[in-house]
Amino acid sequence: MRLRPLAAAAAATALVLSGATAASAGGPHHDADALTRHDRADLRRWATDTWTSFVAMTDEKTGLPADNIEASLDPATRSGYTSPTNIGAYMWSTVSAEELGIIGHREAKQRLKQTLTTLATMERHQPSGMFYNWYDEHTGAKLTAFPSGDTVYPFLSTVDNGWFAAALMVVRTAEPSLRTQVDVLLDPMNFAAFYDANQFGGTRPGMMRGGFWADAPNVATDPGTVAGSPVYFTKNHYDITNSEPRIASYIGIARGQIPPAHYFATNRTFPASCDWSWLEQRPVGVTRTYEGIDVFEGAFTYRGMHIVPTWGGDMFEELMPDLLVPESTWAPKSWGVNHPLAVRAQIEHGLDEAGYGYWGFSPASDPFAEYNVYGVDAIGMSPEGYPSDHEATNVDAGYDGCRPATNPTPTFGDGVVTPHASFLALPYAPREAVDNLRNIETKLGAYGDGGFYDSVAVRSNTQAKRYLSLDQGMVLGAVGNLLGHDVLHRSFGTRDVEKVLRPLIGQEEFSAGVVK
């Protein structure tokens, strides 16, 4: 099969998605020409209500947001814990809220200063400069037990510190008067602590580990050292490219802490071989060489598209890094092709293949429990996949030539959509995203004083009536970029960052495209 570049395929995309706005080789349509004045008014209203949830989640003394809060927005329902990612999401949301005119400059600066002041007092891992995974949002103390009583083994997470550092970089640019406070936190953070330079015996660049513990936990680990101090590394490495940990790779590379060639050490897919037949499907693609490294440019096939998959087929892995790094603009032959196709796949799955009438699948609060993962199974590498419905329907189309199909055309059940996924899709399908969100609000009623509820099972209309800092941060970040002149892209993607990352990621050509 031969692939057409996305710019030439835009017309074909529009035939499938009526009125779709696909990305051209120049990047996403952040001007959102497809949106009306009424659409923009709704986006601003949704962003304003989302900010209300952040105000309710944030401790008045520490300036730290809780991980989540119930729909009532009663401070008594705050979770009692927070993470570096949650704190980062609050900080970049504050920047977005100011850019959108939701709050004024004085309030934004005061809020950021309060948070940064608290962060300077919080315990961190001194040899690496990294922050632990869980803190009490009311006191800033490192947690060794959750409010439920469950034990916490303090952990240093690669991806959580990545989001936190990214937010610090945004604040550093957006509010120069706070730069000194930011630098006290950011300068000591060394992402080389997570990088495994000897993973392949020095024959090629290594990958990022999942993180490490400073003290021995109750799980198997790989003992090692960071800056001469003993630590206990996770057994896993982040070994695929299209997943949210790439934010940590971007930052480590941009700051000169890990080698640029590391970007090509991870897998677009695993090889097309029966040795890897546990994958969701056999990938297609070719091998290309970048920075002296042979890269199998693998992609999955879905409904006339070749797409570089995430692990679970979800929007969070695909598009959250794109909130901060203008991937489609800096890498038009890779992310500029893949992102709009991943959005198109989500839309087609929700509206056509599964017939839910709604779309947007990503990890979120579970309407029936606490938290769960959701995605489009067919475009996720995981063999179990992230399901799109409450019943956890598994799609298995087999692995060509190695494993027979066991469930290629299932019947889907109660689809679970999360609004943050539609907000992430705004740069690539603004018309479809706004329409989907408007239907979630008006037809399903999954909306409260703090904006959209975190998820909703559409057939039973069972709603997860709570707000999560992370997911609300994606909402405000996306609207901030769309209506606030790319505020997060501008603040993160400074000239110093761009001159390192843009040539690196811009040289790659994915095997993604529309099948002719």
Side-chain angles (χ1 to χ4, degrees):
M1 293 182 177
R2 188 163 59 87
L3 298 183
R4 294 170 287 173
L6 188 64
T13 301
L15 290 175
V16 180
L17 302 177
S18 178
T21 301
S24 69
H29 291 285
H30 287 296
D31 55 353
D33 289 337
L35 300 182
T36 67
R37 182 179 299 179
H38 175 51
D39 296 330
R40 289 178 170 83
D42 272 349
L43 285 165
R44 289 186 180 277
R45 175 173 60 83
W46 294 333
T48 300
D49 291 345
T50 300
W51 176 250
T52 298
S53 74
F54 260 121
V55 172
M57 279 188 278
T58 303
D59 186 85
E60 296 79 4
K61 293 183 179 180
T62 64
L64 301 180
D67 178 85
N68 63 81
I69 194 170
E70 295 301 312
S72 66
L73 301 182
D74 183 347
T77 67
R78 290 174 184 159
S79 59
Y81 55 89
T82 192
S83 70
T85 295
N86 294 330
I87 298 166
Y90 170 64
M91 289 193 291
W92 75 58
S93 293
T94 302
V95 171
S96 286
E98 180 188 353
E99 187 71 21
L100 293 168
I102 298 170
I103 60 175
H105 176 71
R106 179 179 295 181
E107 179 180 350
K109 180 179 176 180
Q110 185 277 327
R111 285 182 174 276
L112 292 168
K113 184 175 182 179
Q114 179 188 38
T115 304
L116 293 169
T117 299
T118 299
L119 285 164
T121 69
M122 288 163 52
E123 183 179 352
R124 67 164 100 179
H125 182 252
Q126 293 298 327
S128 66
M130 298 295 170
F131 282 76
Y132 291 94
N133 233 30
W134 298 111
Y135 295 89
D136 184 331
E137 87 269 3
H138 184 61
T139 66
K142 181 182 73 176
L143 288 185
T144 55
F146 285 115
S148 64
D150 293 342
T151 299
V152 174
Y153 294 90
F155 180 66
L156 290 305
S157 162
T158 302
V159 67
D160 281 279
N161 276 286
W163 293 122
F164 177 68
L168 291 175
M169 293 166 70
V170 167
V171 173
R172 191 179 192 277
T173 304
E175 185 46 74
S177 68
L178 299 178
R179 188 165 292 177
T180 299
Q181 277 189 275
V182 170
D183 288 347
V184 168
L185 303 169
L186 182 61
D187 286 352
M189 297 181 73
N190 187 355
F191 283 85
F194 301 117
Y195 175 64
D196 189 354
N198 296 315
Q199 181 181 1
F200 301 107
T203 60
R204 56 177 288 168
M207 301 175 185
M208 302 290 264
R209 299 178 187 269
F212 60 87
W213 294 265
D215 300 307
N218 64 339
V219 296
T221 64
D222 282 337
T225 61
V226 168
S229 296
V231 299
Y232 301 85
F233 288 112
T234 60
K235 290 268 185 191
N236 73 297
H237 293 78
Y238 289 122
D239 55 0
I240 65 173
T241 305
N242 195 1
S243 193
E244 75 276 10
R246 68 182 182 275
I247 191 65
S249 296
Y250 285 145
I251 293 170
I253 292 169
R255 300 180 70 208
Q257 296 168 342
I258 58 178
H262 151 74
Y263 181 72
F264 297 108
T266 53
N267 299 284
R268 280 58 186 161
T269 65
F270 296 116
S273 150
C274 287
D275 292 338
W276 298 88
S277 62
W278 55 267
L279 283 174
E280 183 70 34
Q281 62 173 269
R282 179 187 282 274
V284 298
V286 299
T287 297
R288 298 189 176 96
T289 303
Y290 314 96
E291 305 289 325
I293 300 172
D294 290 338
V295 176
F296 174 56
E297 293 288 3
F300 280 7
T301 303
Y302 179 74
R303 296 176 69 87
M305 297 172 279
H306 287 167
I307 300 172
V308 177
T310 62
W311 179 249
D314 58 290
M315 207 76 95
F316 167 70
E317 291 182 273
E318 176 80 34
L319 290 178
M320 189 172 172
D322 190 53
L323 277 180
L324 297 156
V325 182
E327 291 179 315
S328 290
T329 301
W330 289 3
K333 296 182 294 183
S334 56
W335 299 116
V337 178
N338 210 67
H339 286 336
L341 289 178
V343 171
R344 172 179 165 183
Q346 289 247 341
I347 296 172
E348 289 201 19
H349 176 73
L351 300 187
D352 188 6
E353 182 182 31
Y356 298 137
Y358 302 85
W359 58 274
F361 310 96
S362 197
S365 289
D366 187 339
F368 302 92
E370 293 297 319
Y371 194 81
N372 213 333
V373 293
Y374 302 100
V376 178
D377 185 4
I379 57 168
M381 280 202 275
S382 170
E384 291 81 20
Y386 288 2
S388 64
D389 59 9
H390 170 59
E391 292 78 7
T393 299
N394 180 255
V395 178
D396 182 9
Y399 192 99
D400 188 33
C402 308
R403 191 191 76 238
T406 61
N407 198 23
T409 55
T411 298
F412 295 92
D414 200 359
V416 179
V417 300
T418 177
H420 80 250
S422 292
F423 281 97
L424 289 176
L426 277 168
Y428 305 102
R431 173 75 275 139
E432 290 78 9
V434 170
D435 288 347
N436 192 50
L437 289 164
R438 194 172 280 142
N439 288 337
I440 291 172
E441 179 187 17
T442 61
K443 294 182 179 180
L444 297 177
Y447 199 89
D449 291 340
F452 287 95
Y453 296 142
D454 202 55
S455 71
V456 54
V458 298
R459 286 181 172 147
S460 65
N461 199 9
T462 306
Q463 302 172 5
K465 293 186 177 182
R466 64 185 68 93
Y467 303 107
L468 274 61
S469 286
L470 170 60
D471 297 353
Q472 299 297 77
M474 286 186 265
V475 171
L476 271 165
V479 179
N481 277 337
L482 189 75
L483 301 184
H485 311 289
D486 278 326
V487 61
L488 298 190
H489 286 163
R490 287 186 286 111
S491 299
F492 180 89
T494 61
R495 289 183 180 180
D496 287 342
V497 172
E498 182 177 3
K499 72 181 181 182
V500 176
L501 292 184
R502 188 169 190 163
L504 178 71
I505 69 175
Q507 64 186 297
E508 185 171 14
E509 182 180 355
F510 282 173
S511 292
V514 177
V515 180
K516 185 175 181 179

